[in-house]
Amino acid sequence: MPKPSKTKLRALEILYRLKQEYPDSTCALNYETPLQLLVAVILSAQCTDKRVNLVTPELFRQFPDAPALAMADREDIESAIRSTGFYRNKAKHIQGACQKIVKEFDGSVPRTMAELLTLPGVARKTANVVLAHAFGINAGVTVDTHVKRLSNRLALTQHSNPVRIEKDLMRLIPQPDWENWSIRLIDHGRAVCNARKPRCQECVLFDLCPTGQVYLENPTAPKLSRSRSRA
């Protein structure tokens, strides 16, 4: 059996430290059903989880299930989600997804990646979140802007395309940890490794981060870019 690469061993150590640092990390979106989670994730695009959680209670009070959203007046959905931004497109996707769920999946959110990807407004990021948190299925690694940014900073990938980043991370991280890896990396990105002013001196991953070490040598650099070095 081949030995794990240095990058894989480093990724496992990063995972271990993130678990120690953020033991209670979980999905920040509030939901009670798989459909509510699906809708909340669609709404979270270009919007904070906090804002989504403020909007969804009234949305779900008006439209409690897929048939209700499927048959709703689109303008009523738009009105309920307006503050999340891009509300017309989101309303279109939510209603389209619910119409397909009613028509093709007997009103229930499908439980496979292939089926979820047929729903309007659903790409791998949304599908991964729904599968992991609604059904306990780790089908892939959720790659949002934080995961993309930190995975490059930590030199765990050389790619900018989310699908290629996901493939790299799936090779490095054990499958049972695919989703909690993403959540903890997101929490770390928000708490310490932010985009403009990363607090590298406070980072529990500093000795494992080639980019952070380079950054501290030149903290006045206008942008924290990924180091070319490879561990």
Side-chain angles (χ1 to χ4, degrees):
M1 185 175 181
K3 293 183 178 180
S5 68
K6 289 183 179 180
T7 301
K8 186 176 182 67
L9 291 174
R10 188 161 54 85
L12 294 175
E13 178 63 21
I14 290 169
L15 173 64
Y16 172 78
R17 294 189 193 181
L18 289 174
K19 285 184 175 182
Q20 299 301 306
E21 191 73 5
Y22 308 100
D24 300 319
S25 288
T26 188
C27 180
L29 296 168
N30 296 333
Y31 66 95
E32 295 181 357
T33 67
L35 180 74
Q36 289 184 0
L37 178 58
L38 174 65
V39 171
V41 179
I42 292 174
L43 291 175
S44 70
Q46 304 298 313
C47 181
T48 66
D49 293 340
K50 182 178 180 180
R51 168 54 56 183
V52 172
N53 289 337
L54 290 174
V55 167
T56 50
E58 177 59 21
L59 175 67
F60 297 143
R61 186 193 68 79
Q62 294 183 52
F63 311 106
D65 51 29
L69 282 163
M71 296 184 294
D73 186 320
R74 175 101 43 95
E75 290 185 356
D76 290 337
I77 300 175
E78 291 175 359
S79 178
I81 68 172
R82 184 181 295 267
S83 65
T84 66
F86 304 97
Y87 63 93
R88 290 193 177 91
N89 205 39
K90 290 178 180 179
K92 178 181 177 181
H93 286 157
I94 289 169
Q95 186 163 61
C98 287
Q99 288 171 345
K100 188 157 189 171
I101 287 170
V102 170
K103 182 178 180 180
E104 299 184 18
F105 299 105
D106 297 322
S108 298
V109 176
R111 293 172 174 246
T112 70
M113 175 66 71
E115 290 173 326
L116 281 167
L117 292 179
T118 67
L119 302 178
V122 176
R124 286 193 63 90
K125 171 189 167 184
T126 299
N128 277 326
V129 174
V130 172
L131 288 171
H133 295 284
F135 302 121
I137 300 170
N138 285 318
V141 177
T142 300
V143 179
D144 76 343
T145 54
H146 290 287
V147 175
K148 176 180 177 180
R149 176 167 54 80
L150 269 67
S151 295
N152 273 273
R153 285 184 177 179
L154 290 164
L156 299 177
T157 183
Q158 300 182 51
H159 299 120
S160 60
N161 179 277
V163 174
R164 299 188 72 177
I165 292 172
E166 181 183 6
K167 289 180 179 179
D168 286 343
L169 295 175
M170 288 168 69
R171 286 191 287 266
L172 296 173
I173 305 300
Q175 185 172 0
D177 291 300
W178 281 352
E179 185 58 24
N180 69 54
W181 159 270
S182 296
I183 293 176
R184 290 185 168 100
L185 208 60
I186 290 167
D187 286 347
H188 190 64
R190 289 171 174 163
V192 178
C193 191
N194 56 66
R196 295 185 178 180
K197 293 184 179 180
R199 303 205 303 273
C200 296
Q201 291 174 313
E202 303 173 27
C203 182
V204 297
L205 306 178
F206 174 72
D207 59 309
L208 300 171
C209 180
T211 308
Q213 295 169 39
V214 170
Y215 176 68
L216 280 189
E217 294 175 3
N218 183 21
T220 60
K223 183 179 180 181
L224 181 63
S225 59
R226 178 171 52 83
S227 169
R228 293 181 181 178
S229 63
R230 286 287 176 268

